[in-house]
Amino acid sequence: MNSTIDIFSLVRIGQPLILLQTWEPNRAIVELTQQLEEKAKATNRKTIVFEWRIAVGLFPFNALAQEIGLPCKPLTQEQKEAAKQYGEKVEQKPETFQEPSQLTEMFIFLKSLEAEEQLRQIIVFYRLDAFENAKEHFWNNPIVIDHLKHNAELIGSFGSVVFLYHDQFVPQALTKDIMVTEFKLPSKEERAKILQLQKTNLETQTNIKIEIDNEPLLVDRLAGMGKLEAENALRLAWQKTNNHAVFDVNTLVEIKSKIISQVPGLSIYEGEESVDNLIGFEGAKQYCRKLIQKVKSSNVQPGLIKGAILFGGAGVGKTFFAKALGSAENWITLSCNFSAMFGQYVGQSETNVRRLQYTIEELSPCIVMIDEIDKAFAGLNGEGDSGVTKRVVGQMLTWFNDRKNDAFFIVTANQVTALLNSIPELFRAGRFNKFFYCPFPNRKEKDKLWELYIKKYELNEKQKLPNDNKFSGAEIRACCEDAYLLDISLAEAAKSQSVIYDIARPQIEAMEEWAESKCLSSRTGLRFSRTDNELDIEDLSTQRKFAGE
């Protein structure tokens, strides 16, 4: 079962079996051993720590364990011959208890140590991080389950066995026997200490002063890294400029991006989108930025700020909005691709989802963009995936509802009907703060978009504009790009431009009808109305002249 009790407390009270979720097994073992030894001094109790790794089996970790050593057994004839080749004169070797079939023998040996002196507590850190899929190659082994289930009382009599792995999976047969907790990545305060320590070390090594202009930003960019990863990243980010040095933020982001890319379905978006170029999103922008400011001021309970779902036709700027919001708030924007989370092995998809959730928890506060979620779960109610997709969706929905982190989600969808048919639970109150409908740009917004992209691509500002009836922002930009690349007029570029509204008119009109009673307008922040998105033909006839008319 999951536990809110920290690992140190569980070990101290003698919980027999513990699963510790961690991406830093080395740091976890070292720090926990130090804490246990300090506590043992105060209580006059000896703490003996062993470690188990698949390559070497059981071996002593701290000084007290090294004093005791391991039981030995005679070498076989084959082992003696091998030892002679290296000039070794040994007749015995330590028992490593390397195979799962030796678990009971290992527990009996550990119990014998405790029996010698009642003031001893024995801890075994059993590392599973070498297993790519511990569920498949360790936990699904009936021998392992049998040993643990029937030796839990024996283990509790001498101490604890702590399994270390990056996933929280526990087989059903052991859910009542194993307590699950986690050893988190460095906190904000710990990252600040790492930064200052590396600053001091590098200044001592190089004799060059390091200037830190924006410490909170650097500390934020170290989020999601382990202690060793953070230390190495700062060394790589060190740059000399004139008579001093700095930690380059862009280098930290690049290193962080490579680390996060190892999580299936997750990546860091790096771009230069600006909220100043967000046209037609004033209502959504004000609403979302106000919520994020609440998070920044710590003036809100954890978990109340959820995020928003943006509906609208393709090309209206939903994805642009998510990217620009992260840049404006100086938060990292994570892009979540659900399709990449599905694995080929049994249980791998669910494991990938848990890893993604864990990473987002560690990186918050951040913007998390789930783009075109309607496509990711298309055909959810069909057949062919043995229920994997439904389980993944269930995991995500539960997490959306229960999470207590400060990640701000921006979810986009081009078709509401597909979502209503596949995941109606997504619309339940409490999973997101608001639903926004993103209409196609009106006349004033189109004028601003033409002005923006004509300037961006250095086009002739005096040329006549094409008929942009029901153009989206993406289509205006595409016209300007074609005119720039092909050295043609905007009117000529528009002739070959496909218009998404014409292609998907029935779906868009159906979505607009649904949105009238369900969504706010991204333009105004008020209840969406189709009258707010009607064609501006009357205005155009008096204010503009279309090329070719």
Side-chain angles (χ1 to χ4, degrees):
M1 67 181 71
N2 287 334
S3 172
T4 56
I5 306 174
D6 65 89
I7 176 65
F8 176 72
S9 298
L10 289 174
V11 169
R12 185 167 51 82
I13 64 176
Q15 168 64 28
L17 300 174
I18 304 168
L19 174 61
L20 180 64
Q21 182 188 16
T22 178
W23 287 96
E24 298 182 280
N26 289 330
R27 184 169 77 95
I29 294 172
V30 170
E31 292 189 8
L32 288 171
T33 299
Q34 290 174 347
Q35 291 182 49
L36 289 167
E37 289 179 334
E38 289 173 6
K39 187 68 176 178
K41 289 179 182 177
T43 58
N44 199 28
R45 189 179 186 185
K46 295 180 180 179
T47 298
I48 303 168
V49 181
F50 287 88
E51 183 178 351
W52 184 95
R53 294 206 315 263
I54 190 170
V56 295
L58 189 74
F59 62 94
F61 183 79
N62 68 348
L64 284 175
Q66 291 171 2
E67 290 177 9
I68 296 170
L70 292 170
C72 293
K73 63 180 181 180
L75 269 62
T76 64
Q77 189 60 37
E78 186 177 277
Q79 290 170 334
K80 289 180 180 179
E81 293 297 327
K84 287 180 181 179
Q85 294 181 12
Y86 293 95
E88 297 180 3
K89 296 181 179 179
V90 292
E91 294 295 327
Q92 293 183 322
K93 70 169 185 177
E95 172 61 84
T96 60
F97 306 108
Q98 191 169 347
E99 299 297 327
S101 59
Q102 296 177 295
L103 281 173
T104 296
E105 288 84 349
M106 181 179 79
F107 297 149
I108 292 173
F109 159 67
L110 296 171
K111 172 64 178 175
S112 70
L113 300 182
E114 191 271 343
E116 295 176 9
E117 188 174 338
Q118 293 299 321
L119 290 178
R120 286 180 173 177
Q121 181 185 34
I122 301 163
I123 311 299
V124 178
F125 289 109
Y126 205 94
R127 295 181 55 161
L128 303 176
D129 49 299
F131 292 101
E132 182 177 354
N133 188 342
K135 174 183 177 181
E136 187 71 19
H137 300 111
F138 183 80
W139 292 117
N140 279 353
N141 187 336
I143 296 176
V144 169
I145 294 175
D146 185 70
H147 281 305
L148 296 179
K149 197 162 188 65
H150 293 93
N151 285 295
E153 186 176 345
L154 173 64
I155 297 167
S157 67
F158 63 74
S160 302
V161 175
V162 182
F163 298 94
L164 297 97
Y165 195 55
H166 60 255
D167 187 29
Q168 290 190 355
F169 173 81
V170 173
Q172 187 67 30
L174 292 172
T175 52
K176 293 185 178 181
D177 302 292
I178 296 183
M179 294 286 281
V180 181
T181 187
E182 61 181 327
F183 184 84
K184 289 182 173 292
L185 295 173
S187 64
K188 186 176 182 179
E189 292 73 21
E190 289 170 328
R191 296 195 302 272
K193 290 179 182 179
I194 292 170
L195 174 63
Q196 290 301 325
L197 183 60
Q198 285 302 101
K199 176 180 180 293
T200 301
N201 291 341
L202 287 168
E203 285 178 338
T204 302
Q205 294 169 14
T206 63
N207 202 28
I208 299 174
K209 181 177 176 58
I210 298 174
E211 294 187 1
I212 298 178
D213 297 327
N214 194 340
E215 180 173 334
L217 181 61
L218 288 171
V219 171
D220 177 66
R221 294 301 181 259
L222 293 174
M225 297 185 192
K227 182 174 182 289
L228 183 60
E229 289 173 329
E231 291 171 347
N232 291 336
L234 287 169
R235 292 190 191 99
L236 291 170
W238 181 91
Q239 290 185 1
K240 183 180 178 182
T241 58
N242 299 325
N243 60 342
H244 67 277
V246 297
F247 290 120
D248 181 57
V249 175
N250 291 331
T251 301
L252 289 179
V253 172
E254 183 180 349
I255 295 169
K256 188 171 184 172
S257 179
K258 291 178 179 178
I259 294 172
I260 291 173
S261 66
Q262 298 173 15
V263 180
L266 201 62
S267 61
I268 286 183
Y269 173 78
E270 299 176 64
E272 300 177 354
E273 281 83 355
S274 169
V275 288
D276 296 332
N277 297 335
L278 268 176
I279 297 170
F281 283 83
E282 195 59 35
K285 180 172 66 175
Q286 288 183 8
Y287 178 83
C288 292
R289 295 196 72 178
K290 186 174 182 179
L291 292 187
I292 291 173
Q293 288 304 314
K294 283 269 190 181
V295 174
K296 288 184 174 181
S297 65
S298 301
N299 193 27
V300 65
Q301 294 178 12
L304 288 183
I305 304 298
K306 307 283 188 178
I309 302 183
L310 274 56
F311 299 97
V316 295
K318 304 183 296 297
T319 304
F320 187 99
F321 174 80
K323 295 173 179 177
L325 187 63
S327 299
E329 298 299 338
N330 210 9
W331 279 9
I332 282 178
T333 299
L334 300 176
S335 178
C336 183
N337 178 6
F338 274 98
S339 301
M341 289 191 290
F342 292 96
Q344 59 181 318
Y345 301 112
V346 175
Q348 188 174 4
S349 301
E350 293 89 335
T351 297
N352 289 342
V353 171
R354 287 191 292 268
R355 183 176 177 186
L356 177 140
Q357 293 169 347
Y358 176 85
T359 304
I360 291 174
E361 295 268 2
E362 293 293 341
L363 289 172
S364 67
C366 59
I367 303 292
V368 182
M369 176 180 66
I370 304 178
D371 204 15
E372 299 185 342
I373 193 173
D374 48 324
K375 292 182 179 178
F377 295 123
L380 176 61
N381 292 320
E383 300 177 357
D385 69 349
S386 302
V388 173
T389 306
K390 289 185 178 181
R391 291 197 297 273
V392 167
V393 170
Q395 277 184 269
M396 291 303 296
L397 289 176
T398 301
W399 185 62
F400 280 146
N401 196 60
D402 298 340
R403 65 188 179 86
K404 300 297 182 184
N405 59 66
D406 292 326
F408 192 87
F409 279 78
I410 297 294
V411 179
T412 75
N414 296 336
Q415 291 190 38
V416 68
T417 305
L419 280 178
L420 287 170
N421 291 334
S422 57
I423 350 173
E425 301 90 345
L426 189 68
F427 298 89
R428 203 203 77 181
R431 290 208 163 104
F432 294 91
N433 296 111
K434 282 292 181 286
F435 300 152
F436 286 94
Y437 182 75
C438 308
F440 283 76
N442 60 25
R443 180 69 266 148
K444 291 181 180 179
E445 291 162 354
K446 288 176 186 174
D447 287 344
K448 291 180 181 179
L449 287 165
W450 283 117
E451 181 182 352
L452 173 68
Y453 291 118
I454 285 174
K455 183 177 181 181
K456 177 181 175 69
Y457 294 107
E458 301 178 347
L459 303 175
N460 180 5
E461 297 179 4
K462 297 181 180 179
Q463 65 178 303
K464 292 182 178 180
L465 300 179
N467 186 338
D468 55 8
N469 183 14
K470 280 300 183 182
F471 267 30
S472 68
E475 285 145 8
I476 291 175
R477 177 172 183 167
C479 273
C480 293
E481 286 179 349
D482 284 350
Y484 170 75
L485 293 171
L486 302 175
D487 197 22
I488 58 177
S489 68
L490 290 172
E492 189 69 23
K495 290 179 181 179
S496 60
Q497 182 62 50
S498 59
V499 180
I500 191 65
Y501 194 93
D502 294 336
I503 297 171
R505 189 184 191 103
Q507 295 92 326
I508 293 172
E509 289 180 345
M511 183 158 51
E512 288 179 345
E513 182 179 358
W514 173 86
E516 274 197 307
S517 61
K518 304 292 192 302
C519 299
L520 303 182
S521 168
S522 66
R523 178 183 291 140
T524 64
L526 304 175
R527 179 70 66 186
F528 170 73
S529 171
R530 278 179 287 179
T531 58
D532 182 49
N533 195 36
E534 292 177 351
L535 296 178
D536 303 280
I537 299 298
E538 296 81 9
D539 295 336
L540 299 178
S541 61
T542 57
Q543 298 180 17
R544 311 286 295 224
K545 288 186 177 180
F546 293 112
E549 290 188 347

